[in-house]
Amino acid sequence: MALDQAAAKRVLAHIDRNELAQLGCDLTSIPSPTGQEKAIGEFILNWFERNGLKAVRQDVELERPNAIGILKGDGTGLSLSFNGHTDTSFTGTSEDLRMVTNIEPEAELKGRIVGDRVQGLGISKMKGGVAAFMIAGKALQKSGVRLKGDVIFAAVVGEISRTPVGPWQSKEYRGEGAGTRHLLAHGMHSDYAVVADGSDLNIVWTQTGVVQVKITTFGKAEAAWGTKRSAYPMEKVNAIVKMTKIIGALEEWAAEFEERYIYASPTGPLLPKVNIGGIEGGAPYRPNYFPGVCSIYVDVRMPPQVRPVAVKSELEQMLNKLGIDYELDVYRSLLGHEGKNVEPLVQCAEQIFLHLFNERIKPEPADRASIWTDTNIYNELGIPAIKIGPRGRRISARNEEIEIDVMVKAAQIYALMALDICSRDRNGSR
């Protein structure tokens, strides 16, 4: 590693632990559920301006800004992007009762420092990572180092897994890459990228794709009272009962699918997953009728070599054997990717980690690597990208916490990776 040791010391000296913890609190105290990221985006843009970075606002849609800070190089070197999302896993409102049994008072979800940790909704996923690369950017700027390539710090909207379907069509359901796709389609390309999503500071650059399907079956919407089962067999007239047969067959297929498509990535296995995540059928206000329609919503996580059409085909072949009338609609499809030409970036991360902590960086474990994040979008577009970020834990139904020292380590990693990569000559290639 040809890292300028003197410059590295100057940069690291400007990473302030208390400032980073407070920034994490400030970000976490701004509610930012998917689709409602305006306030936090404007806060971040103002912060970039105050701290000497070029601030660029991208309005992904009305009141949904990507907030970007740029530390300019002289144009002769390689560029590096840092990416993190501003939307949170839960809304922080009573809407979350659809997902969890009990919810905490909203006041408890605000950012606060408790001992050596920051707590609040979103600090682990992933405002801690966003705060870390913001502080890294400030440290680089204050150090006075002259970089050859640009460093881009992108706080994006819409990464959380929310998908428009049925009546849920507003911006609050446009997630899973909405902000990063807009970011890259509107000019913010770089030679390399680091996604700061939580990984316990482990490293990964291969992630799963996504297929989401709606499966619907049909009954006979007639009054149930006064009927004999022999004349009205439930498996023929009751859509919910018919759906139980579909669910049983789907679960058998899922178990086989999850074993057959385990993917050997450079950092370890990726684990496919099939999950029935939603069901709707019948009329709660009229349960005396046979339900005429029942639908389930299924999420399939598949490895890079599997295409959405292949998953659709397998599902249809499985369902066709049941002799049950159904409709199947795919309403989300995202590809998984194994990053190509990531070796220089991976080597940089490995060497920086060893330099800072005198230990080797670890691969992300299979159970945490087997997800979809914005890392996939960079790799899909040919921008070599890795994921490495600070992660905390859930401490109640929605609340989270993260160790301040883990955020500091992330900021140090990001600052020195930018110093290394963006000090390298372009030379016509990576």
Side-chain angles (χ1 to χ4, degrees), residues 13-32:
H14 289 289
I15 295 176
D16 184 281
R17 184 181 188 275
N18 293 332
E19 181 184 17
L20 176 52
Q22 186 57 53
L23 179 58
C25 272
D26 292 342
L27 295 177
T28 304
S29 292
I30 303 172
S32 55

Side-chain angles (χ1 to χ4, degrees), residues 90-108:
F90 293 97
T91 68
T93 70
S94 59
E95 179 190 319
D96 295 331
L97 283 170
R98 191 177 182 93
M99 299 292 295
V100 298
T101 305
N102 299 299
I103 58 175
E104 315 87 335
E106 291 182 25
E108 293 183 10

Side-chain angles (χ1 to χ4, degrees), residues 71-190:
L71 183 61
K72 295 291 291 182
D74 64 18
T76 65
L78 297 175
S79 56
L80 178 64
S81 291
F82 293 93
N83 179 295
H85 62 85
T86 54
D87 58 333
T88 54
S89 295
F90 293 97
T91 68
T93 70
S94 59
E95 179 190 319
D96 295 331
L97 283 170
R98 191 177 182 93
M99 299 292 295
V100 298
T101 305
N102 299 299
I103 58 175
E104 315 87 335
E106 291 182 25
E108 293 183 10
L109 304 179
K110 298 290 186 181
R112 61 193 178 278
I113 297 172
V114 180
D116 61 353
R117 303 178 183 200
V118 180
Q119 295 182 348
L121 173 60
I123 188 60
S124 176
K125 185 168 176 56
M126 59 165 291
K127 295 179 180 182
V130 173
F133 69 61
M134 289 170 67
I135 290 294
K138 178 179 179 179
L140 286 160
Q141 198 280 333
K142 288 188 68 176
S143 73
V145 298
R146 297 180 61 84
L147 298 175
K148 296 179 179 180
D150 295 348
V151 191
I152 299 171
F153 303 93
V156 301
V157 306
E159 190 272 352
I160 295 298
S161 296
R162 283 184 157 229
T163 306
V165 62
W168 298 281
Q169 294 293 332
S170 67
K171 62 185 179 180
E172 285 76 17
Y173 304 99
R174 287 193 281 276
E176 212 146 35
T180 295
R181 289 193 184 279
H182 186 97
L183 176 86
L184 297 175
H186 293 83
M188 291 298 165
H189 278 236
S190 56

